[in-house]
Amino acid sequence: MIKLPEKNKKLLLHACCAPCCCAIAKELKNSGIDFTIFFYNPNIFPSKEYEKRKQELIRYCKKIKVPLIIAEDEKSKKQWEEAVRGLELQPERGKRCCKCINHRLYKTAKYASKNDFDIISSTLSISKFKDFIIVTNSGKEAVKEFKNVDFWAQNWREIINQEEPNKISREENFYRQRYCGCFYSIGDALK
């Protein structure tokens, strides 16, 4: 069983997709932690891919009875594009990824601050496509502006056996992507 850091009570968990989220959500639920999943991923390309990932997460959250917030608006994609502008040629896990994660976790922290969540974390730290240190630094940066929100730098890879997300994904017949999500990461995945 895991516990939130001592003074925190309500977690907003940024999630990128159902395969990365499933074992974390199961662990949080089994630990009795009050949490809500937050889907904010304007980086995902193309829109068909975005919809697949979103729908899989909706389906799973309904099944396990976990609250889910889909944070979308017309400006999201443009804001993300502005955040990574000039970094298009950076490699996966490079400066572009830092900016992308900063952007998404900042939006998560902002939502948390306005909606009575006192801590955020992200499923990105379990993904094979992401670096735990980059996710942690982005999370710490994201909450700086919000005095009422902390970042939980949880290395999910240390807590969750890597076979568990794969097992759940097979059982749930999740759609499994082959790249992180953005247009630029597609090329890296095909190498």
Side-chain angles (χ1 to χ4, degrees), residues 68-136:
L68 170 65
I69 295 159
I70 306 291
E72 303 172 333
D73 62 42
E74 293 178 18
K75 296 184 270 182
S76 298
K77 190 73 160 169
K78 293 239 182 271
Q79 290 171 338
W80 176 81
E81 288 169 353
E82 183 61 34
V84 300
R85 183 165 284 124
L87 302 171
E88 296 87 352
L89 300 178
Q90 289 290 309
E92 190 70 14
R93 294 183 173 176
K95 290 179 183 178
R96 183 188 67 241
C97 286
C98 290
K99 286 287 190 178
C100 177
I101 296 169
N102 285 346
H103 175 77
R104 292 188 284 158
L105 293 184
Y106 174 81
K107 292 290 187 174
T108 306
K110 186 174 183 180
Y111 185 92
S113 177
K114 292 181 178 181
N115 292 280
D116 299 321
F117 292 91
D118 58 4
I119 193 163
I120 67 167
S121 192
S122 179
T123 64
L124 291 170
S125 65
I126 202 169
S127 171
K128 66 181 180 181
F129 298 116
K130 296 295 167 237
D131 181 288
F132 174 71
I133 293 168
I134 291 173
V135 175
T136 298

Side-chain angles (χ1 to χ4, degrees), residues 11 14 20-21 24 30 51 71 77 85 128 139 164 169:
L11 170 67
H14 171 266
C20 285
C21 183
I24 297 169
N30 288 343
E51 281 302 316
K77 190 73 160 169
R85 183 165 284 124
K128 66 181 180 181
E164 186 65 13
S169 292

Side-chain angles (χ1 to χ4, degrees), residues 2 10 20 27 33 36 40 52 71-72 81 103 118 126 140 149-151 160 165-166 172 184 186:
I2 57 171
K10 193 173 176 188
C20 285
E27 184 68 31
I33 291 174
T36 296
Y40 177 77
K52 283 181 188 175
E72 303 172 333
E81 288 169 353
H103 175 77
D118 58 4
I126 202 169
K140 288 177 180 178
V149 179
D150 292 324
F151 178 72
I160 296 170
N166 294 331
E172 296 295 329
Y184 313 108
I186 294 172

Side-chain angles (χ1 to χ4, degrees), residues 163-177:
E163 184 48 36
E164 186 65 13
N166 294 331
K167 178 180 170 241
I168 296 170
S169 292
R170 283 190 303 273
E171 289 169 358
E172 296 295 329
N173 196 27
F174 284 146
Y175 163 73
R176 306 272 319 245
Q177 62 275 7

